[in-house]
Amino acid sequence: MQQQTGFLRKLADLRTDAAQELERIQGELRELDVLIRQSTAEVERLAQRNLQAQNRVRQMEMNFDTVPREDIKALYTAAHEMQMRLFMMRSQIEQLQNKQRILEQYAEMLQRVVEFADTVESVPGTSALRLSDEEGEFVPLDSMAMVAQLIEAQESERLNLARQMHDGPAQSLTNLILQAEVCQRLFDMDADRARVELNNLKNAVNTTFQQIRDFIFDLRPMMLDDLGLVPTVKRYVEALQKKVPFAIRLQVFGDEQRFDPTIEITLFRTLQELLRNVERHANASNVLVTLDRQGDEVILTVEDDGVGFDVGSVLRTSAQQKRIGLTTLQERIEMLQGKMQVDSAAGRGTRVQVRMPALTPTEHTSPRLPSAS
């Protein structure tokens, strides 16, 4: 009887938590719906203005020889900016719609929890309510929230990538088109100037190509699959050193062996995120990156001499505001049976150590949601 009473109490608490979360999600869905409708209307207006800009460009091209170079560049720049605004707005709508679908699935799951709790009066021998997954295992409610947060992190990263593409290669490609058209017009008018423009075009193409290679590497470094974690980390640190204002020293201990692909990509993404945090927040002069195999663990350590921070305060703020940062990083690592330790304080730098199981490719592991205790 006491066990049944305890179960019913937990069931009631779970029902309350699920109902409150469902109400919050439904409110967020209503806000998303309004935002999507507003963004869609803005896209329609931008599409009309983009059409007008393209018409002006075509009219200019019909009289290309009589239009001053400054006006040509201004028209192409205005048309490009309009196209990019339209692209970004459409990308934003897509991201909002993806988030809407995720939240709708989450809301549906919460609704099932509430309905189930309303119908259950007693379940003898059960000590906790859990939802069954497709393999017959059980997933607690807080894990569902974690999954939703991780999916939202993925969508946020995709939006960030779209913005970087807009500010980098997309802008460069538009300039290449402009330079190519100028070269084409100059061939019959001024051959020497055309050769100068062609040389500028060649240099711009090389720069854009390198930018695209960097984006591909950040999105999914192919050498991680081909060569493994250690060579990829070495290449990443070497390339990053040319872009950041602080010195990076890399130390690798042990053999350059391969680990399970899930472990390798998690450690690499963790290193990327930690070094991005150093670049954005630490104001550091030196960073030490250590990769070590100790027994049945592979250990990644990132240590800087920057300004440091209050660990407890930052983690609480990140969790409360659902920011993508150390909290989400820690959750991902723990889902793979790893551990992350952050040691920092104002004025004395930061040291982050991540310990992951040193599973080899033959010891396959797949990330699983933690079961309820």
Side-chain angles (χ1 to χ4, degrees), residues 87-129:
F87 168 77
M88 289 301 297
M89 285 300 300
R90 284 173 173 165
S91 176
Q92 180 179 336
I93 290 176
E94 182 180 352
Q95 297 294 329
L96 291 173
Q97 289 172 336
N98 287 337
K99 184 176 181 179
Q100 185 182 48
R101 286 191 291 269
I102 294 168
L103 290 181
E104 284 174 347
Q105 295 171 358
Y106 186 34
E108 182 180 351
M109 187 179 298
L110 290 170
Q111 183 63 45
R112 290 202 302 268
V113 172
V114 173
E115 293 174 354
F116 178 71
D118 287 340
T119 57
V120 173
E121 293 182 359
S122 64
V123 181
T126 303
S127 60
L129 177 63

Side-chain angles (χ1 to χ4, degrees), residues 256-281:
E256 295 187 8
Q257 68 179 89
R258 297 298 304 268
F259 300 103
D260 181 87
T262 304
I263 299 298
E264 289 190 336
I265 190 60
T266 300
L267 285 171
F268 179 72
R269 294 304 186 200
T270 298
L271 176 62
Q272 282 186 305
E273 182 66 24
L274 292 177
L275 289 179
R276 275 198 292 262
N277 285 344
V278 173
E279 182 179 3
R280 293 170 184 166
H281 310 297

Side-chain angles (χ1 to χ4, degrees), residues 176-235:
L176 293 180
I177 295 172
L178 173 60
Q179 287 181 271
E181 290 175 343
V182 170
C183 291
Q184 185 180 19
R185 299 290 183 180
L186 286 174
F187 269 119
D188 298 329
M189 301 168 55
D190 188 340
D192 291 336
R193 186 177 172 191
R195 281 191 289 271
V196 173
E197 291 291 343
L198 277 174
N199 187 61
N200 294 334
L201 179 60
K202 176 184 176 182
N203 293 333
V205 169
N206 287 333
T207 300
T208 302
F209 176 66
Q210 187 57 49
Q211 285 181 327
I212 293 174
R213 288 185 62 184
D214 291 342
F215 277 115
I216 292 173
F217 184 86
D218 288 341
L219 184 62
R220 176 69 187 192
M222 289 179 286
M223 69 181 301
L224 186 63
D225 300 314
D226 298 334
L227 302 179
L229 179 65
V230 174
T232 305
V233 167
K234 288 181 177 179
R235 192 269 192 191

Side-chain angles (χ1 to χ4, degrees), residues 31 70 128 143 161 186 188 204 238 256-257 275-276 279 295 317 352-353:
E31 294 175 359
E70 292 75 13
S143 295
L161 181 62
L186 286 174
D188 298 329
E238 180 182 354
E256 295 187 8
Q257 68 179 89
L275 289 179
R276 275 198 292 262
E279 182 179 3
T317 302
V352 180
Q353 186 175 87

